[in-house]
Amino acid sequence: MGVIPVTILYAGLYGLLMAFLSIRVSFSRARLDVEFGDAGHADLQTKIRVFGNYTEYMPMMVVMFLVLELAHTRAVLLHAIGSSLLFLRILHAVSLKADARPVAWRRMARFVSALGTLLILIGMSLLLVKPYIL
């Protein structure tokens, strides 16, 4: 398989999610005949921000994930981190919908996905600096 099989698996899954989010933006642009920006369409703006938020967080998360695997972090912990992060990013994308009326589960899902992503970021960071602190 390779020396970093867990990172390979989750990088592939995260890439597929990124492609899906990108395709959603492209299809919306084509349907609305918008070449650049959002042209004032709230739904397109939301899809652009979901994709943007994903691309803002995930590169650093994947790099830290890779470094953790190279540092011989246990595979079970890596799978817990990787699958949780994938679930949270899907939850984040699903919970954001511009034209939907406010629904309690959407607000809670956004909160959980944002907080969960932040906690994973902090957790991975602490795992990486732990040897230098102790």
Side-chain angles (χ1 to χ4, degrees), residues 11-95:
L13 292 172
Y14 300 150
L16 289 172
L17 179 55
M18 184 177 186
F20 173 76
L21 296 174
S22 175
I23 289 167
R24 284 181 54 201
V25 172
S26 296
F27 282 179
S28 289
R29 284 186 191 282
R31 182 176 47 82
L32 297 168
D33 195 29
V34 174
E35 191 171 324
F36 186 78
D38 59 40
H41 297 280
D43 185 55
L44 177 56
Q45 182 181 41
T46 300
K47 288 175 182 171
I48 291 169
R49 280 309 311 140
V50 168
F51 177 76
N53 183 273
Y54 188 84
T55 61
E56 291 161 5
Y57 274 92
M58 293 311 292
M60 184 61 172
M61 302 291 258
V62 172
V63 167
M64 291 192 325
F65 195 89
L66 170 63
V67 173
L68 284 170
E69 186 166 14
L70 290 172
H72 305 290
T73 302
R74 292 178 40 174
V76 67
L77 179 57
L78 291 173
H79 282 294
I81 292 168
S83 60
S84 296
L85 186 57
L86 182 63
F87 170 77
L88 290 167
R89 299 319 299 175
I90 291 170
L91 181 63
H92 185 259
V94 169
S95 69

